[in-house]
């Protein structure tokens, strides 16, 4: 399927899991038969998803899980792993509940399982679609080997607000890039047959608009025009569904006055009726219960509301379990509503093959062989290296493999922070730290010295909040100047200093919003002191979000943004710092100059008073008095140890008709001294429309490898589909007229050419 067509089309989704009509008939017959035998309690039980209590992803501990399984009161369990434990729970369901309906086992397999890959924002920075698909594939292999068959991923929420901690869990600010990634993740998890014992059911989340909450505060409300939703925020969810994702998770947030979990327009009119989705809809963690605090009524009322809105399964809160029967008796819901939900739950289990073999995912031999196996770790190292974004390099990198390197900073010696947020199954206690990884990667070629240098933050309580779930970073309560002085002593004999600074992994992720996006003051002071030594300093920046790095950009000669790179991040950082791998990551989200510019994203509207090109400030134009409109680092930006030169854009014609395609080409040359990869990005602007259109929109890209000195012609094709948008009536159309096409290595530094669409 052409993904771009897929994203933009408004036809019903052709679900790949429904293509075989014969199989569907068989499934329907089976489920009809089962439904006819189920009591109302057993039906409601299927809608109940509880936690197995292993991974901390919320504050609820489900009780009497064993008793409820036997009574047929549980449809699914999440956060439980290991084939032995899962087999035991499954046996209770299959052998001791009246109808023996198997349980579905979920887990937040977000960016890897035991083998952790970079956080999703980092994976997005690879712009490498086969690589991203492979990370999902490996995640599925490992998770299913450990008994799991359902993952709460991909997270495809667009976010243009780096204050929001969960920007780390998505693919950044862009509709097109996120949509492409959504598709790859789904295909990686589900493979070509979700009933195989090494594929996982994917769950697209959080539906919808969770990343657009007010002020970057988690769980906050969203109020958005429909044409913005359709053009900018909804396409990634739809792309994931078009790729075949079989489940959807509702989001916590309010959307235009109605929380997603109670929003019938969203879950039924749009998702089911307009998009034709036929899979399972699960709520987010206690999202039904939270409707009470949203102000929609008591538990009985909100449970009925969300069932009627289109929710099938209730995660953790047990609102369905405890109130739906009463609501049925009081005629506040119908059995038709309940049957619909039960059917979707049973269908998911059927498709996973659980009725055929409930123990399909309980093979202890597979667990031993396939989890954290060597190839997975090798791949994780490559994925990590490819996710790093070189933000600045004044001819310092790559480093030479001789002499002494001082690795200083609170992120230098913490293995537990390397996997990043939402790596609930990773082995944090046994993950290598940066220093350990560097020592292993470099062997005896280099002497590495190290020191804490500073606390993560001056504020002890803030550091505690930012290092939950065992992601501790040692704290030194002595005078910060003393700690810095010691670090400088350690650095004295070094030829180069690597400053390992930034965020701890739990400074981003759920419920980790920030209003200050600077590197914490304690670390900034350390950095300043390190720079004052006059030695070359490389800032290795750990972060789960765009930070404000204006000061660092001005003062530090080299900055490598390493996000949180996963299990093998330490070695991968060494690979890039010392030139074994040439960095090729590009930012999937804009880095602003300061927090006041947020939301700052490249695909903004022009306004009626745009600044003249190149101007910094003009009175009565759209700008700020105190800072330019420019980002510090634009979307799509990232340097390489090599340099790439772009020729002018070559068009094969100046105008196209609706049924024609335009060939757009550019000559790309590697003009530096290293072989390397470049992400060639193609943007389009619709110059005149019936509604205002963004100044640029990413519409395609290619990741190209060029040997040093090599040139290559890169070709793209533009068709009418690429020019379409949703107009005010939400019609998906391309309007004839003038367009611009831009090509470049980031969203700012581009070549441009004009063309027309004619009728
Ligand atoms: C998160 C989801 C996650 C769920 C289950 C929630 O708090 O918002 O993304 O899948 O917990 O752990």
């Amino acid at each position: 399927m052409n993904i771009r067509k897929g994203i933009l089309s408004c036809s019903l989704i052709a679900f790949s899991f429904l293509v075989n009509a014969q199989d569907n008939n068989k499934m329907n017959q089976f489920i009809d038969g089962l439904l006819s035998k189920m009591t109302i309690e057993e039906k409601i039980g299927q809608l109940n998803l509880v936690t197995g209590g292993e991974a901390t992803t919320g504050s609820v501990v489900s009780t009497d899980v064993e008793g409820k399984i036997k009574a047929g009161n549980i449809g699914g369990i999440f956060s439980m792993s290991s084939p032995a434990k899962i087999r035991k729970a499954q046996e209770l369901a299959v052998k001791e509940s009246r109808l023996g309906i198997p349980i579905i086992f979920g887990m937040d397999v977000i960016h890897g399982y035991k083998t952790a890959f970079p956080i999703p924002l980092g994976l997005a920075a690879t712009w490498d679609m086969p690589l991203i698909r492979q990370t999902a594939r490996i995640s599925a292999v490992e998770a299913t080997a450990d008994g799991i068959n359902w993952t709460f991923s991909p997270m495809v929420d667009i976010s243009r607000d780096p204050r929001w901690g969960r920007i780390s869990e998505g693919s950044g600010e862009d509709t097109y890039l996120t949509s492409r990634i959504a598709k790859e993740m789904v295909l990686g998890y589900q493979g070509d047959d979700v009933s195989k014992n090494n594929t996982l059911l994917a769950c697209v989340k959080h539906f919808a608009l969770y990343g657009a909450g007010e002020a970057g505060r988690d769980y906050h409300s969203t109020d958005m025009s429909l044409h913005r939703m359709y053009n900018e925020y909804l396409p990634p969810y739809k792309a994931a569904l078009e790729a075949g994702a079989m489940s959807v998770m509702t989001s916590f947030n309010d959307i235009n006055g109605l929380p997603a979990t109670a929003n019938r327009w969203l879950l039924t009119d749009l998702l089911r009726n307009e998009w034709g989705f036929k899979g399972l809809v699960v709520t987010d963690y206690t999202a039904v219960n939270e409707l009470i605090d949203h102000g929609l009524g008591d538990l009985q009322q909100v449970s009925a509301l969300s069932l009627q809105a289109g929710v099938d399964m209730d995660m953790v809160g047990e609102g369905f379990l405890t109130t739906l029967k009463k609501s049925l008796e009081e005629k506040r819901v119908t059995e038709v509503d309940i049957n619909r939900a039960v059917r979707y739950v049973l269908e998911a289990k059927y498709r996973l093959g659980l009725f055929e073999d409930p123990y399909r995912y309980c093979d202890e031999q597979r667990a031993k062989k396939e989890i954290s196996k060597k190839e997975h770790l090798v791949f994780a190292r490559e994925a990590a290296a490819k996710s790093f974004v070189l933000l600045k390099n004044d001819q310092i990198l790559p480093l030479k493999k001789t002499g002494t390197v001082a690795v200083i900073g609170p992120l230098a010696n913490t293995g537990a922070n390397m996997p990043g947020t939402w790596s609930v199954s990773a082995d944090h206690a046994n993950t290598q730290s940066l220093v350990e990884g560097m020592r292993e990667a470099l062997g005896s070629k280099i002497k590495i010295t190290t020191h804490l240098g500073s606390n993560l933050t001056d504020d002890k309580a803030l550091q505690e909040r930012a290092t939950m779930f065992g992601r501790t970073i040692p704290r030194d309560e002595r005078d910060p100047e003393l700690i810095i002085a010691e670090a400088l002593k350690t650095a004295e004999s070094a030829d180069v200093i690597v400053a390992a600074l930034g965020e701890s992994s739990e400074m981003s992720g759920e419920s980790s919003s920030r209003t200050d996006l600077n590197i914490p003051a304690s670390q900034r002071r350390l950095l300043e002191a390190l720079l004052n030594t006059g030695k070359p300093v490389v800032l290795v920046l750990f972060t789960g979000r765009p930070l404000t790095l204006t000061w660092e950009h001005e003062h530090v000669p080299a900055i490598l943004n390493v996000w949180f790179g996963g299990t093998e991040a330490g070695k991968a950082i060494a690979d890039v710092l010392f030139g074994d791998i040439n960095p090729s990551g590009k930012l999937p989200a804009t880095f602003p100059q300061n927090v006041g510019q947020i939301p700052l994203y490249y695909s903004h509207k022009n306004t009626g008073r745009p600044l003249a090109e190149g101007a910094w400030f003009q009175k009565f134009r759209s700008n700020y008095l105190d800072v330019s409109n420019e980002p510090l680092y634009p979307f799509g930006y990232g340097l390489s140890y090599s340099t790439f030169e772009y020729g002018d854009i070559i068009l094969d014609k100046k105008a196209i008709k609706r049924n024609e395609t335009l060939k757009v080409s550019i000559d790309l040359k590697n003009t530096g001294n290293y072989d390397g990869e470049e992400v060639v990005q193609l943007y389009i602007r619709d110059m005149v429309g019936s509604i205002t259109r963004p100044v640029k929109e990413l519409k395609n890209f290619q990741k190209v490898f060029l040997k040093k000195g090599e040139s290559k012609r890169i070709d793209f094709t533009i068709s009418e589909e690429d020019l379409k948008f949703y107009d005010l009536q939400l019609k998906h159309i391309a309007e004839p007229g003038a367009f611009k096409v831009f090509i470049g290595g980031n969203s700012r530094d581009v070549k441009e050419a004009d063309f027309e669409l004619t009728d």
Side-chain angles (χ1 to χ4, degrees), residues 49 51 55-59 78-79 107-110 151-153 155 157 166 169 203 205-206 210 218-219 249-252 283-286 290 315-316 422 424 510:
L49 175 63
T51 167
T56 321
T57 66
S59 55
F78 74 102
S79 291
M107 180 69 93
D108 286 284
V109 184
I110 309 294
T151 175
F152 302 139
S153 174
M155 194 278 223
D157 305 318
R166 301 196 81 171
E169 277 178 70
C203 183
K205 70 185 189 187
H206 306 80
Y210 183 32
D218 212 353
Y219 319 122
M249 184 186 291
T250 67
S251 58
F252 291 122
T283 70
D284 203 345
Y285 204 104
T286 59
E290 290 168 26
M315 185 190 285
V316 165
W422 278 111
V424 297
E510 188 168 346

Side-chain angles (χ1 to χ4, degrees), residues 267-279:
L267 303 181
T268 297
D269 297 350
L270 178 69
L271 182 66
R272 299 278 188 208
N273 298 342
E274 197 172 320
W275 291 358
F277 179 60
K278 298 272 191 290

